Amino acid sequence: MPELPEVHTTASMLHTLIVGHTISDIWTDYASPYHRGKDNIKDPTFFRAMKKLVIQSTVVSVHRRAKNVLIELSSGHTLLVHMKMTGHLLYGTYQRNAKFKVQNAKVTHVKKPSDSESWRAVAPEILKDPFNQFLHFVISFENGKHLALSDMRKFAKVTLINTKTLYASEHLKHTGPEPLEKTFSFADFAARLAIASRGKIKQVLMDPYIIAGIGNIYSDEILWAAGVHPLSTVSKIPLSSLKKMFRSMKEVLAKGIDFGGDSTSDYRNPLGEHGKFHYHHKAYRETGKKCPKKGCTGTISKIKMNSRHAHFCSKHQTLYN
């Protein structure tokens, strides 16, 4: 799943690419009976209402909150996109293709939108990467360009919210503080962790209601840098180690942004390019390798924590329990 650095990279690039452009159309083939009556585009009724509100709106700004990309429109609404497990937003030129069916020896257009249309990338060439071909939501702009959501597993969320009530909406109001905000101090960090004092530190760092934007990759890297074992109980971690973790969190997330995110899995930036952070892992998916910490004789190990894996050094990461 794209984490804070990947979502930050996406939002920053889109702010440069699409602000000032006007939406001429939107399309989706998302449609699920499990989402009927819900406020996202997987409910066809919601999508039709949303379409009327966003067409002819101009993009005012693009920014990030937690793992959400927020596209503010001149209509007074904001498009919220959560890319979930395998989603990423792409900007370029796409071509809309109608599919056909044979009926009584005659070729006819299929009229049901979800069955009748698909999109293919035209330019730039990198958008034709196989990882970029799972297109389920497309915004068309007046300049002939498109913003497309590639989402292989179809878990992504797209909704439209009144901008005035955006941060009070169910989609954002329970989200924890931003770890890279200058006002987010060590005292704030310690207080947030204390909410789940009996929890295991890796899982607590990944809880979006505790702190926003940290997932599997960056929690491993933060704990490796701080020398704290992922199974450590929050309340047992000494003050000195908590301070190391706070500094590591700031440094690791900033480094992730500097390298344009992590493309270990599906993530691509809006121009279809890979991030580079995965070339700088110290622990995540480095199982069996010698720990890269200077002077450490440990090996990177892997354990399962619920449905996720934690990667850590067997030597210098201390278990506090």
Side-chain angles (χ1 to χ4, degrees):
M1 177 187 291
E3 301 179 33
L4 187 155
E6 292 76 50
V7 182
H8 182 95
T9 299
T10 295
S12 297
M13 291 182 70
L14 288 179
H15 186 81
T16 300
L17 292 166
I18 68 173
V19 165
H21 292 301
T22 299
I23 296 172
S24 59
D25 198 9
I26 60 173
W27 168 94
T28 190
D29 66 352
Y30 284 123
S32 168
Y34 300 106
H35 288 265
R36 286 177 186 164
K38 296 183 180 179
D39 60 341
N40 68 70
I41 65 170
K42 293 176 183 177
D43 173 29
T45 301
F46 180 87
F47 178 75
R48 286 192 294 270
M50 183 178 105
K51 188 171 184 176
K52 293 177 182 178
L53 292 171
V54 305
I55 288 178
Q56 297 308 310
S57 291
T58 300
V59 178
V60 174
S61 71
V62 184
H63 50 286
R64 178 193 63 79
R65 175 69 172 106
K67 296 179 184 179
N68 301 282
V69 175
L70 304 173
I71 304 173
E72 186 180 343
L73 304 176
S74 61
S75 66
H77 298 87
T78 295
L79 276 167
L80 179 151
V81 182
H82 193 306
M83 299 182 282
K84 298 289 184 179
M85 293 296 293
T86 58
H88 52 280
L89 289 162
L90 302 161
Y91 181 75
T93 305
Y94 287 83
Q95 181 174 319
R96 194 171 184 168
N97 301 317
K99 293 182 181 178
F100 302 90
K101 66 179 179 180
V102 177
Q103 194 172 54
N104 298 325
K106 293 181 180 180
V107 176
T108 60
H109 283 276
V110 181
K111 293 183 178 179
K112 185 180 175 184
S114 61
D115 294 337
S116 66
E117 297 165 341
S118 63
W119 293 77
R120 68 178 181 85
V122 176
E125 191 69 21
I126 196 169
L127 294 183
K128 298 176 184 179
D129 180 325
F131 279 103
N132 297 333
Q133 301 308 303
F134 303 92
L135 305 180
H136 299 294
F137 176 63
V138 179
I139 299 174
S140 300
F141 294 107
E142 91 296 338
N143 64 350
K145 296 293 184 72
H146 303 87
L147 180 62
L149 174 62
S150 179
D151 181 21
M152 182 172 65
R153 298 183 68 181
K154 300 180 76 172
F155 289 160
K157 175 175 70 177
V158 181
T159 190
L160 187 72
I161 306 168
N162 187 306
T163 301
K164 290 181 180 179
T165 59
L166 176 64
Y167 293 101
S169 72
E170 286 298 321
H171 301 280
L172 293 179
K173 72 178 183 179
H174 299 296
T175 305
E178 292 288 337
L180 290 182
E181 286 289 338
K182 291 182 179 179
T183 56
F184 187 63
S185 66
F186 172 71
D188 297 325
F189 175 72
R192 297 304 296 178
L193 295 186
I195 294 171
S197 61
R198 296 182 180 180
K200 302 304 181 185
I201 186 57
K202 177 178 170 71
Q203 293 170 328
V204 174
L205 283 175
M206 293 172 61
D207 186 335
Y209 304 109
I210 301 295
I211 299 172
I214 300 173
N216 212 27
I217 298 171
Y218 295 95
S219 59
D220 278 352
E221 296 298 307
I222 290 165
L223 293 171
W224 179 91
V228 176
H229 193 287
L231 288 176
S232 295
T233 302
V234 171
S235 62
K236 303 295 184 180
I237 301 172
L239 183 63
S240 59
S241 294
L242 287 175
K243 288 182 176 179
K244 286 181 183 178
M245 199 187 312
F246 176 71
R247 291 193 298 269
S248 298
M249 177 188 67
K250 298 270 190 181
E251 291 168 1
V252 168
L253 293 174
K255 186 177 178 182
I257 291 171
D258 288 344
F259 284 111
D262 190 298
S263 291
T264 300
S265 184
D266 307 85
Y267 176 71
R268 304 291 185 272
N269 71 28
L271 296 180
E273 302 162 336
H274 293 71
K276 300 292 191 297
F277 185 75
H278 53 283
Y279 295 123
H280 302 273
H281 288 172
K282 307 299 183 184
Y284 182 73
R285 291 197 177 181
E286 297 293 294
T287 308
K289 295 183 180 179
K290 183 182 181 302
C291 176
K293 182 178 175 64
K294 187 175 181 180
C296 183
T297 58
T299 300
I300 302 301
S301 301
K302 179 175 73 172
I303 54 172
K304 193 165 186 179
M305 297 183 67
N306 292 336
S307 60
R308 301 292 186 89
H309 287 99
H311 305 82
F312 62 97
C313 172
S314 60
K315 189 78 172 179
H316 84 270
Q317 287 182 246
T318 303
L319 176 61
Y320 300 104
N321 265 334

